Amino acid sequence: MGIDTTAPGGLKSIMKKENPILPDGYSSVPPGKLATVVTCLQMFAPPKPRPSPETESRFALDHWASPSLEAYRAIFRAVGENWMWVSRLVMSDEALNAILRNPAVEIYVLRDGDRPIGLLELDFRQEGECELGYFGLVKDAIGKGAGRFLMSNAIAKAWSKPITRFWVHTCHFDSPAALPFYQRSGFTPYRFMVEIIDDPRLGGVLPRTASPHIPLIEPSAF
C-alpha cells in the first residue's frame, strides 16, 4: 500500500519544491503520463493497540539487513506491481544501494511460513519522524490478517524510536481498502496532492497487464 514516486527522495522531495497549485476545473494530463491523487496521513502518538488476528501465529517479520538489489527488487515487484510501484525499479543501482544500506532505513520481510508475502520499510532519515515508506502484501495474502499483523509491527517499531510523527501517503492507484485501513490504524489525513508520472507500462518497466484497474491509454489515442 502507499503510492510509489519516481522523484529522488520520495514525496518529501516533492513537498520541498512543489509545482504551482492546480487551478479549479479540469487539467489535461500529457500523453503517456498518469495522474493520481495522493492522500497524506499522519499520527503524533501511538494509537491504542488493536486485538491481534487469530491467524497472527502463522506470520513472522524478519529484519532484512543489506538485501541484494536483485532480491529486493523481486519482492518490491511482487508486492507492488498491481499498485503501480515503480520508483525502485527505475532507480539507479547506486541510488538504491545508498537507501538500502542506510542505517536510518529499516527493511522487513513478512513471511507466511517460508514464503515471503509482504514488504515493510520504515524511513527514519528525517530527524524526529518516521515515514511508512513501503507497506504491502502480495495479492493472495490480502484479507487474511497479514495486513493487521504487519501494521501492528510497523507502529510498534516506529514508536520505539524517539519520534514525534509517523506518516504515510497513499493514492487512488492503491487498493480501495488502503485509505480506510490506514485510518483505522490511527493515521489522520491532512493533505491532498496530485502527482504526474510516466506510465511505466508504456516503457516496459511494468508489463502492460499490470494494475488493470488503471486504464492504459496509448499516446496515439490523444
Side-chain angles (χ1 to χ4, degrees), residues 1-13 64 66-81 83-102 104-108 119-125 131-136 167 169 195 197-198 200 205-206:
M1 299 178 183
I3 186 176
D4 183 47
T5 175
T6 57
L11 192 65
K12 293 176 185 175
S13 175
W64 200 9
S66 300
S68 71
L69 295 179
E70 181 179 10
Y72 174 86
R73 283 181 172 138
I75 192 167
F76 182 92
R77 183 183 290 273
V79 170
E81 184 172 286
W83 312 119
M84 203 57 71
W85 289 15
V86 66
S87 70
R88 301 290 174 82
L89 303 179
V90 299
M91 185 178 291
S92 71
D93 289 354
E94 181 181 11
L96 182 54
N97 256 321
I99 294 172
L100 300 183
R101 281 147 183 76
N102 190 316
V105 178
E106 298 182 1
I107 304 168
Y108 298 87
L119 178 67
L120 168 65
E121 283 192 38
L122 299 174
D123 187 342
F124 295 94
R125 286 179 290 178
E131 179 187 358
L132 183 59
Y134 287 98
F135 179 98
W167 71 285
H169 55 287
E195 184 182 18
I197 63 170
D198 291 328
V205 176
L206 293 180

Side-chain angles (χ1 to χ4, degrees), residues 36 71 73 95 119-120 126 137 143 155 171 176 203:
T36 183
R73 283 181 172 138
L119 178 67
L120 168 65
Q126 182 69 34
L137 306 171
I155 291 171
C171 74

Side-chain angles (χ1 to χ4, degrees), residues 1-3 82-85 142 170-182 213:
M1 299 178 183
I3 186 176
N82 209 47
W83 312 119
M84 203 57 71
W85 289 15
I142 296 173
T170 185
C171 74
H172 79 272
F173 287 172
D174 206 346
S175 164
L179 182 55
F181 174 79
Y182 287 135
H213 60 297

Side-chain angles (χ1 to χ4, degrees), residues 176-200:
L179 182 55
F181 174 79
Y182 287 135
Q183 292 177 278
R184 289 195 306 272
S185 299
F187 291 96
T188 300
Y190 69 93
R191 190 177 194 185
F192 292 125
M193 300 182 73
V194 174
E195 184 182 18
I196 306 295
I197 63 170
D198 291 328
D199 190 331

